[in-house]
Amino acid sequence: MLATATHDHKRGEDVRTRLAVLSEVPEEWRRRVERWQTMNRTLTFDIEPADVYMLYQTLFGTWPTGLIASDAGGLAALGERIAAWQKKALREAELRSSWEAPDEDYERRCLELTGALLDPARSAEFLSDFTDFIAWTEPAARANSLVQTALRCVVPGVPDLYQGAELPDLSLVDPDNRRPVDYDLRRGLLTGEDVEASEWARMKFALIVRLLDDRRNHPLLFANGNYEPIAVRGLREKCVLAFRRRSGEEELVCAVAFRCAAALLGGKAVAPPAHWWDDTVLDISATDAFGDGRAATLFADGPVFVSVRRI
């Protein structure tokens, strides 16, 4: 079973794809955290630095798409979710509180910190800088999300799609990951109705629909197909994972772009521009149905290339 989200995960699958971006921008992340520490020093003086840092990281990972710094109602709703996670995280870490011996005073101070940070009247400067950083990294996070979604659907195994994860899964530990699912929204996306959804949601949903349709139309290929890595050469060869699967007269080629944050930060595209790839090429025949194998061609429309054909 290929599962990227469950009823018991600690961080939703797209919280993790967001957090993965931080590993590609460590210096900028350090600079931002240090700036926030300075901004919020009067709020955090009696909280352990590790718990403050974890709070920043969790806020970054779970920040709802489209939530702006001045939306008091949206920030309050997020605060309720973060508070439930925070209490559970503190007690299960068993460092400064626990289920058997809860330090309710320390938990209260942590809760007050969360409330203060998410109060636009008290933390306008912080929220402005924080949402700026989220917007700057969002294209790379979306790219990671699409890559993870594709791999779950096409590598050997049976993909498991947890309820609600058809759209960006920015949930936390239970009960947050067990909230009611808006199935009407998903039906609307499936039938092409005019529903309110982010670009990230639309892209992820459309990719899932397409790949599950491939699985339905080529069941033996996905059930029995082998797995052969495809060699990649060139300047960005370490930024591509590629493989083919074959069964009988059917063949699938998959290539995904990753470790590409530097080319996406601050923009709108979820795949690097053609010139960034330089001479990067995949070892597939120039005469076959999958094209010339140039990364610039394969990733012209996004970070995921999946194609199925009859041999």
Side-chain angles (χ1 to χ4, degrees):
M1 184 173 72
L2 305 169
T4 49
T6 74
H7 70 288
D8 200 35
H9 63 237
K10 305 306 180 186
R11 290 169 169 167
E13 63 181 52
D14 294 311
V15 175
R16 302 195 305 274
T17 61
R18 257 212 194 131
L19 291 175
V21 177
L22 300 183
S23 66
E24 296 191 63
V25 292
E27 293 306 317
E28 178 62 17
W29 174 242
R30 176 192 293 273
R31 189 173 70 84
R32 295 277 181 157
V33 170
E34 290 175 347
R35 182 190 300 176
W36 300 333
Q37 287 176 325
T38 300
M39 290 179 183
N40 302 321
R41 59 184 178 276
T42 61
L43 300 174
T44 61
F45 72 94
D46 60 348
I47 307 295
E48 285 292 324
D51 293 330
V52 178
Y53 179 76
M54 181 65 77
L55 177 58
Y56 289 147
Q57 189 185 81
T58 301
L59 284 171
F60 172 75
T62 198
W63 196 267
T65 55
L67 180 59
I68 59 176
S70 59
D71 183 355
L75 293 169
L78 174 61
E80 292 178 2
R81 295 173 52 211
I82 295 295
W85 157 83
Q86 193 174 47
K87 178 178 179 179
K88 195 165 189 176
L90 288 170
R91 292 190 176 185
E92 294 194 354
E94 297 186 347
L95 295 175
R96 285 165 283 280
S97 189
S98 69
W99 292 110
E100 293 184 351
D103 186 336
E104 295 183 352
D105 181 63
Y106 184 73
E107 292 176 1
R108 176 187 54 78
R109 300 201 305 272
C110 290
L111 179 62
E112 290 174 351
L113 170 61
T114 298
L117 291 179
L118 295 176
D119 183 347
R122 298 181 63 183
S123 300
E125 183 183 14
F126 163 72
L127 288 169
S128 177
D129 194 70
F130 196 82
T131 52
D132 173 75
F133 181 69
I134 289 173
W136 185 66
T137 57
E138 195 75 351
R142 283 191 281 132
N144 283 349
S145 171
L146 296 174
V147 167
Q148 177 175 260
T149 297
L151 292 178
R152 183 185 67 224
C153 290
V154 301
V155 300
V158 179
D160 181 85
L161 183 58
Y162 180 62
Q163 59 186 27
E166 304 90 356
L167 305 185
D169 175 17
L170 301 174
S171 62
L172 291 166
V173 67
D174 62 279
D176 196 54
N177 57 20
R178 303 177 191 180
R179 287 175 291 157
V181 177
D182 186 347
Y183 287 111
D184 288 337
L185 171 59
R186 288 153 178 79
R187 291 189 189 98
L189 287 171
L190 195 60
T191 57
E193 297 176 25
D194 184 17
V195 296
E196 185 175 346
S198 68
E199 182 181 8
W200 185 355
R202 292 180 184 278
M203 293 177 72
K204 182 178 181 181
F205 191 83
L207 180 62
I208 291 171
V209 170
R210 177 167 69 88
L211 296 180
L212 292 185
D213 197 44
D214 282 342
R215 294 187 67 93
R216 178 176 57 189
N217 293 332
H218 307 277
L220 295 181
L221 174 61
F222 286 93
N224 304 324
N226 64 354
Y227 176 94
E228 301 175 359
I230 294 175
V232 184
R233 304 184 307 277
L235 180 64
R236 309 293 184 185
E237 63 183 33
K238 293 185 178 180
C239 298
V240 179
L241 172 68
F243 59 90
R244 60 175 16 109
R245 300 187 64 190
R246 289 173 174 165
S247 176
E249 297 181 347
E250 294 183 321
E251 179 184 40
L252 171 149
V253 164
C254 174
V256 296
F258 67 124
R259 299 173 183 158
C260 300
L264 304 177
L265 297 168
K268 294 182 178 180
V270 292
H275 67 81
W276 186 84
W277 291 106
D278 196 78
D279 63 343
T280 308
V281 63
L282 282 65
D283 188 16
I284 55 180
S285 171
T287 60
D288 76 19
F290 301 118
D292 58 12
R294 293 190 307 121
T297 301
L298 297 179
F299 301 125
D301 297 323
V304 173
F305 174 85
V306 177
S307 186
V308 178
R309 68 162 184 172
R310 294 187 67 84
I311 302 174

